[in-house]
Amino acid sequence: MQEVERYKNIWNYDSFVIKTDNGSFEILFAPNGDLYWKYLSSKNVLDDKQKQELIITKENYFIYELFCKLYECIKNNKVFYDKGNYFEVMENRLFKNNMIEWYSDELPIDITSKLTIKKEQETFKVIFEKSKESKDGMSITYSIRFRNSGSRYEPFNICFMQMYNELKSYDPNCHQIHIEEYLYKQKTLKKKTD
């Protein structure tokens, strides 16, 4: 199962919940001008695991393709800012060992939550690692903040905003199946019958 729910949040911005077999996460824009990804824990966050791993498959090719674009944007140090135009980033502290590692812009790097995106053969692993307790009383969370002003990974925050903006064009009620989805489902069915 890989589903996408779309709704307007309390600030009237588009928000999305991506549901996978391993759990769900939310992508939302806030009135402070920043983007957030948040693992949706079914338990009290304090009692839940330190890391939550979700798998993005080709079951919904639109979502899978958005992850491909995000991954390639960061891997190749090419941040697109206009149709077909991009600028090349000289230093990339985000991409290590073939993975994207984003420490949330919310807290200092030694205690903040962390997002890891790892490409595998036909899937992406999306790993949320919760924050540590801070001295100023900030609650422990899986939430990842992408600042659009003053991000520690600027300008790569643009890649995540581009993904969000493309996601806004997705209509879960009018999803046309892609050939890759069909092939993925056939392959999955074949594995189950073997």
Side-chain angles (χ1 to χ4, degrees):
M1 168 196 80
Q2 192 164 286
E3 297 174 1
V4 180
E5 287 181 6
R6 178 185 190 150
Y7 69 95
K8 293 282 187 187
N9 62 26
I10 59 172
W11 307 291
N12 207 32
Y13 293 115
D14 290 307
S15 295
F16 303 89
V17 174
I18 299 176
K19 297 179 177 182
T20 72
D21 290 335
N22 313 80
S24 304
F25 70 99
E26 183 177 28
I27 298 176
L28 64 101
F29 192 75
N32 61 6
D34 293 339
L35 183 69
Y36 292 84
W37 285 27
K38 184 171 85 174
Y39 173 77
L40 300 174
S41 179
S42 58
K43 303 176 184 176
N44 180 325
V45 175
L46 296 174
D47 300 331
D48 218 338
K49 297 185 291 187
Q50 180 64 26
K51 291 182 184 181
Q52 298 291 347
E53 186 175 294
L54 307 172
I55 307 294
I56 300 297
T57 67
K58 290 182 178 179
E59 189 175 343
N60 183 319
Y61 196 71
F62 184 87
I63 302 302
Y64 179 84
E65 195 171 36
L66 287 180
F67 272 90
C68 284
K69 288 178 183 178
L70 173 68
Y71 186 85
E72 292 300 317
C73 175
I74 293 170
K75 175 185 175 186
N76 297 324
N77 294 340
K78 293 183 178 178
V79 177
F80 290 88
Y81 62 91
D82 194 6
K83 293 177 182 169
N85 297 320
Y86 64 89
F87 60 90
E88 201 157 338
V89 182
M90 300 312 288
E91 182 188 7
N92 188 341
R93 296 175 294 128
L94 253 183
F95 197 77
K96 303 170 190 160
N97 303 318
N98 291 321
M99 294 183 290
I100 298 168
E101 291 183 340
W102 184 287
Y103 288 87
S104 176
D105 284 324
E106 190 69 38
L107 296 169
I109 206 164
D110 58 330
I111 60 170
T112 200
S113 47
K114 177 179 156 188
L115 174 72
T116 303
I117 300 173
K118 182 179 181 184
K119 188 174 196 283
E120 301 199 325
Q121 282 188 337
E122 291 190 324
T123 63
F124 285 93
K125 277 188 183 176
V126 180
I127 304 162
F128 289 85
E129 198 169 328
K130 66 183 172 183
S131 61
K132 297 175 178 68
E133 195 167 356
S134 68
K135 293 175 184 168
D136 61 2
M138 292 283 287
S139 59
I140 295 174
T141 181
Y142 291 106
S143 184
I144 306 295
R145 182 178 186 177
F146 303 89
R147 284 187 192 268
N148 282 313
S149 177
S151 173
R152 62 173 57 103
Y153 299 112
E154 202 168 350
F156 289 108
N157 55 300
I158 294 171
C159 301
F160 287 89
M161 278 305 300
Q162 287 170 329
M163 180 186 185
Y164 171 75
N165 287 328
E166 285 189 53
L167 191 54
K168 290 194 303 186
S169 71
Y170 178 72
D171 184 355
N173 300 318
C174 186
H175 175 71
Q176 185 173 355
I177 191 163
H178 190 280
I179 187 67
E180 289 290 336
E181 287 177 49
Y182 174 78
L183 294 172
Y184 177 80
K185 287 176 183 172
Q186 293 302 312
K187 202 182 297 184
T188 306
L189 284 172
K190 187 171 180 353
K191 283 182 186 176
K192 286 181 181 176
T193 58
D194 287 347

